[in-house]
Structure formats: C-alpha cells, structure tokens
Amino acid sequence: SSVHFSTAMLAYRRLRCLQWQRRCRYFSEVDKPREQVPLYEPPEDTHQRIFKWGVGNKFRARFRNAKMPVMNASPKELTVPNDYYESPADDIVWENLNESWEVFWWEGGKLNARPFPVRKYGMNGAKHAAVEFQQELQAAGRSEGPPPATVAGVDGVVWDGRLQGWVALYWEEGRPRSYTFLAAKWGYEGAKLQAIERRHKAMDIVF
C-alpha cells in the first residue's frame, strides 16, 4: 500500500508542476507589451456619406429580395471617393435626391430614363450597372440622340423642355390659349405636327 501511495503522490506532484509551468507561461505572455494596432484612416481623396435609402448588393438586386416597403429609409454610412459623382458619360447622371444613377436616351423621338439606385445595386454596383445599360443601348442601336432641333419653324409653336412636348399658342374668344402635345404620347415629330395643325386651325378660325 505504501508503494501505491508514493506513486500517487509522485503523479500528483508532477501534475501540480505542469499546472504551475502552464500558469507561468500564461502570465508571461499576458505581461508582454502588445503592439498597438494603428487606427484606420480613410484616404485623403474620400469623404463619409450616409445613404438615406440604404446600400444594396447582388442579393438585393433581385426583385424578390428587395427590402419592403421601399419607401422606408435605411441609412448606412460609407466611405465614398470624391470623384464618385463624376458622370462617366453625358447621358448618365447622378440623381442626389433618390441616390441613384440615371441613364437618359432618346428612342422613337421620346426621351426615356432608367434609374439604378444605390439602395438596390450598391454604391459601385449602381454606377457600373448604369454604364453597362448605356453600352447595351448603343450596341442595340436604340440610343438615337436628341432630336435635331427644337424649333418648329412656325410662329406660335414652341418646344417645352420641361414638359417634353410641343406647345401651340393661339387666341380663342379673345383670350390667349396654349395646348401641349407630349412627345411621350405622340412622338417627337408627331407632337410637332399636332401642334402645328392646332395652330393653323386656330388661325383659320380667327381669320
């Protein structure tokens, strides 16, 4: 029995010795001075911006994965390059209110636009998607460019850039009147012809 007792004591002392060594190594590591990790500093040519409507990604770009309802704000702060808002082409414009890149193109005499919001595509993804869409339009021959002129050559017929339509100006029952023919409905040339016809009819009635 004395032999078993001495063997157990020896094993116990070895265990305690190992525990003490491990404890010493632990505290020696803890007491070592740690290297200070430098704080992140954004590049000088950037700024911080809070995107009110959120920032999307490839997952959110799918319609079934979009955040609903879409009118709810989802602010997120990002580091944005200072040249981010520079337009890559004349027909690609940054729309600050809705935080989106918009592509404008003329097709069939009508001015069209398609937005690519940061909320859906992400900060860089929205800009890349707008450029890719514009290139697809050009490759398909759908981007016709603006109409050659906004002058009808007829007195009393003018182009309204805000309404995107031709306006016929005339007098009726002693009062000045106007009627707008939208290019979105009639087409550019069709709206012009409708405005000229309305002007001529009004002039025939007067005289």
Side-chain angles (χ1 to χ4, degrees), residues 34-40:
R34 297 183 178 180
E35 296 181 1
Q36 292 187 354
V37 179
L39 297 176
Y40 170 76

Side-chain angles (χ1 to χ4, degrees), residues 69-178:
V70 295
M71 70 285 298
N72 287 354
S74 181
K76 185 174 182 180
E77 184 175 359
L78 290 181
T79 301
V80 183
N82 291 337
D83 60 350
Y84 175 75
Y85 310 104
E86 295 181 3
S87 176
D90 293 338
D91 48 359
I92 301 178
V93 181
W94 169 254
E95 207 283 298
N96 194 58
L97 179 63
N98 296 314
E99 298 174 347
S100 65
W101 286 95
E102 291 193 11
V103 180
F104 293 87
W105 77 99
W106 287 87
E107 186 175 7
K110 302 177 184 179
L111 181 61
N112 303 276
R114 178 178 173 181
F116 294 86
V118 173
R119 177 190 182 103
K120 179 178 181 181
Y121 296 94
M123 187 182 74
N124 293 322
K127 194 170 186 178
H128 292 162
V131 173
E132 291 178 358
F133 180 72
Q134 185 227 23
Q135 294 174 350
E136 291 176 1
L137 290 174
Q138 293 179 347
R142 295 177 55 191
S143 183
E144 302 172 355
T150 55
V151 178
V154 177
D155 291 338
V157 178
V158 295
W159 171 258
D160 190 318
R162 184 177 64 87
L163 297 177
Q164 293 294 306
W166 286 98
V167 182
L169 306 174
Y170 55 93
W171 288 80
E172 186 177 34
E173 297 180 354
R175 294 184 179 183
R177 305 284 185 181
S178 66

Side-chain angles (χ1 to χ4, degrees), residues 12-28:
Y12 174 75
R13 289 176 180 176
R14 287 180 179 177
L15 178 61
R16 293 291 295 174
C17 182
L18 289 173
Q19 291 177 345
W20 180 258
Q21 290 176 357
R22 291 175 182 174
R23 192 174 182 183
C24 291
R25 284 199 300 267
Y26 171 77
F27 282 106
S28 64

